[in-house]
Structure formats: structure tokens, C-alpha cells
Amino acid sequence: HMPRGTSTSPVLIHCCTCFHHLVIFAIIAVSVASPWLPVAQRFIPWKLQPGAGSTLKRNRASSTEATSWPASQVSPSPPVPCQAACPLTAVLTPAPPHAHRLAAAGSESSTTATTPPAATSSPVGSSRPWPSTASPKGEPYQSVAMSAAPPPPPTSIPPDVLHLRTEPLTVGQHLILGCSPLAGIYASVPEKQATDTIKAALELGFLDLDTAPHYGLGLSEARLGRAVAAHGGGRAVRLWSKVGRVMKPHAEVTAEDEPRAERGNMPGAAGCIFPDSPTDVTPVLDYTGPGVRRSHADSLRRLGAATVHGLRVHDAEDEERFAQAMAPGGGIDALVELRSQGAITCVSLGMNDPKYVMRMITGKPPGTFDSIMSAGAWNLIDQDGYELMLECQRRGIKVHNAGIFASGLLVGGDYYKYEAAPAEVLERRRRWNELARQYGVPLPAVAIAFALSPAVVEKAAVGVKSAEEVRVNVQWLGAASTVPPALWAEAKVLGLLADFVPVPPPMPPPVLA
């Protein structure tokens, strides 16, 4: 009942009273709810951000599409302030899109990420992964905030993921002819056979030819130089050699040289693996600056060439050799000086032990090394070079992968890392052979596909000692693109590859011309 004399409508007074109660209720609700907003974010597929607009848009993706987002690429959202909690000033924007989709979009066209990142915590500490923001058509939803849009999430592939190659393989771009067998490794090779090998390689498109003074105490270099002079035909071949050993005529070997003389590599010694080596020189280890400069000059003379494309520090895998090469003014600094003078194009390493290679590339300034040749550390038997390749990827250093057939074991040989293969390694080869037969591809083709799968691997070296072996390797390169993805999946199930090892994506047909 209203007092006499009032003109206010009872309905209006009732509405005002209700509105007053609602305002009080809203203030209490906001005060109570604000501390719990970060927790609520764990269970809803969007984030709240302050904004001036009143348009709301929710991610409609199904919760079954939930995927992960690397913690390193997500900035935890701070607690949402009270004013942002009001539905009239909050803007709901989708959570970050799937990391590997963005990586694929932001990377070079020739590479892709190895695998989607593993599930990680959400920005508020939840063990639940980020939900997907893909629309039913597969496109991410866009923010519709009326104020300034939030910065886009990063689009680069995380630095701890090996990028994978996807472009077609070619002989000239992706294979190196390893010329150590031209000196007759383990068994004698006639000069004509070595020459015919180089001739066939040049005709089939090989452009990179790798040798070293150590291979037959200079014999490989000499045979390679004569063959290229006879059959190069004006091709723009790239000759690579190595430093760290100087071939001295016996009369030049001094008492100071004697502790560093590798007499075990000379003909007649039990450890000599090049029976055709000349008998008039003694190999002397020398990783100093003067030793590198002399080795370079001697290589040019044996090759009969005015220049070589690149020089690699060879086998610096004990502390004394390592210290000589790394010292100020030592072997590596001498190579950098030769490059600055235009005498060579590339400074490189040629080594077996990834740990020493890692120490070298991290112990010198960025830009010192153009490439490395890593031998026997990334093939179907051994993947010890994984961390090294990641570091090279970070630093922009190209990898030349040698020993891709595991010292010839994967093409029918009996040696592994220059010794008779142990029983467990032979068993792994048997299982790989069985798997390759099951999928109808040659095991060497599987080996080539694996060796060249990381994009950081610019080239793979194949050692050959006959024209027929050159032709067969080119055929295996062609077959590498036919290895089915199911083979790699089964290899992991069988324990032939560890879970962390990236495997090749489907490859386009090779370009063999």
C-alpha cells in the first residue's frame, strides 16, 4: 500500500528495488569469481583478454580435437583483472593454434617439422593440453577484439626439432662421391678401375668429389686429379680434401716429427688398410697453422688443380690434435685465412666422433665453419649424431653425412667402423634387411632415404670403387623416394629406431638428370 500524496508508480519502485539488488549481487559475484577465473580457463576453450568492444566469439572446435602447444612458445596469461571479467568489456579469443601447423606454414618450403610437439602444460599450469582452434573447415578461428589485436603466436619450428627435407633428391645436389676406395681400401684397386669410376660418376651428374691425403698416403688425390683432368670435360666439379696429415719423404722426417709419425698406416704395417699406398712417404700428424698450409699446397700438387672448393680438418679426435687445431693461429685459423684469401671456398671438418665436432663448432666464433662431414654418426645402425645435427641446424652449418651404409655393412660388407662387425650389429642388419624385403625396397635405398632426411644434411657421401657401383648408387637414390612411411613406423615398433629419431616424410620422385 502506498502513502497518500505519492505519485510514484508501485511498479517502478518495485523495478528499482530489484535492479538495486541485482547490482549488489553482481558486485559480490565479481568479487568472489575473479580469483577463480584462471582456473576456469582450464576448462573452457578460450582466453579472456581486456578489450573495449562488446563482440564475443567462442571457438567452436570440438574438444576431441585438442592438441598440444610447446611451453616455450606460450606466455602464461596473468590473472584477469576484475574489470576484464565483466562480459560487457571482455573479449574471448581463441587459444594459440597447433604448433606444428604454424611451423609448417612458417618454415621454408623444402622443410617440415619432424613431429608435432609433445603435450605440455597449459598457460595456467594445467596438465590439460591446449584445445584445438581449428574450424570445421580446418582453418583457425580469428580474434574479433575491437581493440588492438594480441600479437600472433610464433610461427617458426622449435629449435630442438630437426627439420625434414621434402624436395626431390638429385645426384648433383645431394650426393658426394667418396674417393677413399680409389686408393684401394682393404684391397688393391687398379689405376684404370679408379679412372673409370670417376668417369662414370661425372657422366651421371656427380659434382662433389671428396678425398684426403690420408687415403693411400696421397694416392687417392693423385688418381682423382688425373681422372678429372682426363674426363672432366669442363664440368664445374667441386674438389674437397682434408688437412691434419703431411706426407713427408722419409728424408724429411725429423726427430721432432717421429712421435707424430703414423707408421701404422704405412704399407707392410698390420694396421694399414690401403695396400696400394706409396712406400716413399711417411704420414706425419700436423694440425698447426704451418702444417695445414703445407698440406693444402701438397694436395693441390697431387690433384693437379689450381684450387680446391673446401678443406676439412681430418680426424682431430684426441686432445693433442684437438688442441693444435683449435689453438690461436692453429689449423682452423689457417683455414679461415685461406678462405679470406680466396684460396678455398669452404672451411669444414671431417671426423667420426660427434663429441669432438660439437666441441669444435661451439669453441670457435659463429661463421667459422661452412660445413662439417660427420662419418658414421647418422645411419640405420647408429644415430649418435642427433644432437650434433641439431646444433648445426641452429648455427646454419651444413652437414655432409658420410658412412651412411655403416662402413659398407648395409651393402653387404662385413666391417663396421673399420673393424669386423660384432654379432649384435650383424643381427640388426639382418632385421633391417628383412624389413626392407617385406616392403619391397632395397636396403641401401632405405639407408639413403634415412641419411638425407634431415634438411640440415646438405649431401650424403657414397664411397665407390667401380663404375658399376656408381650406377647402382644412383639407382638406389631413385628408389629412396619409394620407401613407404609404414616401413619407418614398423622400424620403431621393432626397436630398430628409437622413438626420438625423426623419419623421412613422403618424398617426391627424384630428379636423376
Side-chain angles (χ1 to χ4, degrees):
H1 298 282
M2 300 293 297
R4 288 181 180 271
T6 61
S7 59
T8 306
S9 166
V11 175
L12 177 61
I13 292 223
H14 179 73
C15 291
C16 290
T17 304
C18 291
F19 179 79
H20 178 71
H21 291 168
L22 285 173
V23 169
I24 295 174
F25 179 82
I27 292 173
I28 296 172
V30 168
S31 300
V32 172
S34 292
W36 295 96
L37 285 173
V39 177
Q41 281 187 279
R42 295 169 54 179
F43 303 101
I44 57 177
W46 21 256
K47 296 191 297 182
L48 279 79
Q49 297 178 349
S54 61
T55 305
L56 306 180
K57 189 167 186 177
R58 174 176 175 165
N59 170 21
R60 295 173 306 211
S62 167
S63 61
T64 60
E65 299 172 26
T67 52
S68 62
W69 181 259
S72 62
Q73 299 187 22
V74 176
S75 299
S77 301
V80 181
C82 292
Q83 64 269 26
C86 176
L88 295 181
T89 58
V91 177
L92 304 181
T93 57
H98 196 306
H100 78 280
R101 287 185 60 188
L102 289 173
S107 65
E108 296 182 3
S109 60
S110 62
T111 62
T112 182
T114 56
T115 57
T120 56
S121 298
S122 74
V124 293
S126 168
S127 61
R128 292 165 59 92
W130 275 110
S132 168
T133 59
S135 72
K137 293 184 179 180
E139 296 299 326
Y141 284 95
Q142 302 297 320
S143 169
V144 292
M146 301 299 289
S147 60
T155 59
S156 60
I157 300 175
D160 56 349
V161 175
L162 270 182
H163 306 184
L164 292 179
R165 168 175 284 105
T166 58
E167 85 269 16
L169 302 176
T170 69
V171 173
Q173 187 176 350
H174 296 113
L175 289 186
I176 299 174
L177 192 76
C179 296
S180 62
L182 301 185
I185 188 169
Y186 302 125
S188 179
V189 170
E191 172 96 8
K192 184 178 185 307
Q193 180 177 326
T195 301
D196 290 344
T197 301
I198 298 299
K199 179 175 182 288
L202 294 173
E203 290 173 347
L204 288 171
F206 280 85
L207 296 175
D208 292 273
L209 312 172
D210 182 88
T211 184
H214 176 55
Y215 304 153
L217 308 187
L219 181 60
S220 173
E221 288 182 319
R223 287 181 168 179
L224 175 59
R226 290 191 289 267
V228 170
H231 303 289
R235 295 178 179 88
V237 299
R238 294 180 286 263
L239 299 176
W240 298 77
S241 195
K242 303 182 180 73
V243 296
R245 293 177 173 91
V246 175
M247 303 301 132
K248 291 190 173 184
H250 299 320
E252 289 187 21
V253 179
T254 67
E256 185 181 353
D257 292 330
E258 197 57 46
R260 295 178 287 113
E262 286 191 312
R263 298 195 177 278
N265 286 330
M266 299 172 64
C272 179
I273 61 175
F274 294 99
D276 293 337
S277 299
T279 59
D280 60 345
V281 294
T282 300
V284 178
L285 294 168
D286 193 340
Y287 294 85
T288 65
V292 162
R293 284 185 281 271
R294 171 166 178 178
S295 179
H296 172 233
D298 289 349
S299 290
L300 293 180
R301 174 179 52 80
R302 285 188 292 263
L303 287 163
T307 185
V308 292
H309 184 73
L311 287 174
R312 313 185 196 272
V313 176
H314 198 194
D315 294 345
E317 292 155 313
D318 67 29
E319 291 304 317
E320 182 179 356
R321 302 183 197 185
F322 180 87
Q324 274 193 344
M326 292 287 285
I332 293 174
D333 287 355
L335 291 182
V336 173
E337 183 181 358
L338 288 171
R339 182 178 61 190
S340 68
Q341 296 168 351
I344 62 175
T345 301
C346 293
V347 173
S348 186
L349 302 174
M351 296 164 64
N352 295 281
D353 191 336
K355 295 189 295 294
Y356 277 97
V357 179
M358 183 77 84
R359 288 173 60 189
M360 280 193 165
I361 66 175
T362 57
K364 285 291 184 181
T368 298
F369 300 103
D370 301 287
S371 69
I372 64 162
M373 177 171 273
S374 177
W378 188 259
N379 54 55
L380 296 180
I381 304 296
D382 190 339
Q383 297 92 46
D384 285 349
Y386 181 77
E387 292 296 332
L388 173 60
M389 287 200 292
L390 280 175
E391 188 63 31
C392 287
Q393 179 176 274
R394 296 183 193 109
R395 291 172 176 264
I397 299 173
K398 300 170 184 175
V399 175
H400 295 168
N401 192 1
I404 66 172
F405 298 132
S407 306
L409 187 79
L410 299 175
V411 292
D414 298 318
Y415 288 89
Y416 179 63
K417 297 191 175 181
Y418 307 106
E419 297 179 352
E424 60 270 21
V425 172
L426 292 174
E427 173 61 16
R428 287 182 70 82
R429 178 183 64 178
R430 184 195 67 77
R431 296 174 67 202
W432 271 114
N433 260 316
E434 184 177 301
L435 184 61
R437 281 195 300 269
Q438 177 183 335
Y439 285 92
V441 289
L443 180 58
V446 178
I448 290 177
F450 182 80
L452 284 167
S453 60
V456 71
V457 177
E458 182 188 39
K459 303 173 188 293
V462 292
V464 294
K465 62 180 182 295
S466 70
E468 178 60 25
E469 288 185 2
V470 175
R471 288 187 282 270
V472 169
N473 273 272
V474 171
Q475 292 170 1
W476 288 334
L477 178 72
S481 64
T482 69
V483 178
L487 181 147
W488 305 114
E490 187 164 349
K492 291 197 171 188
V493 171
L494 295 174
L496 292 172
L497 292 174
D499 287 341
F500 74 88
V501 174
V503 295
M507 296 291 292
V511 179
L512 301 180

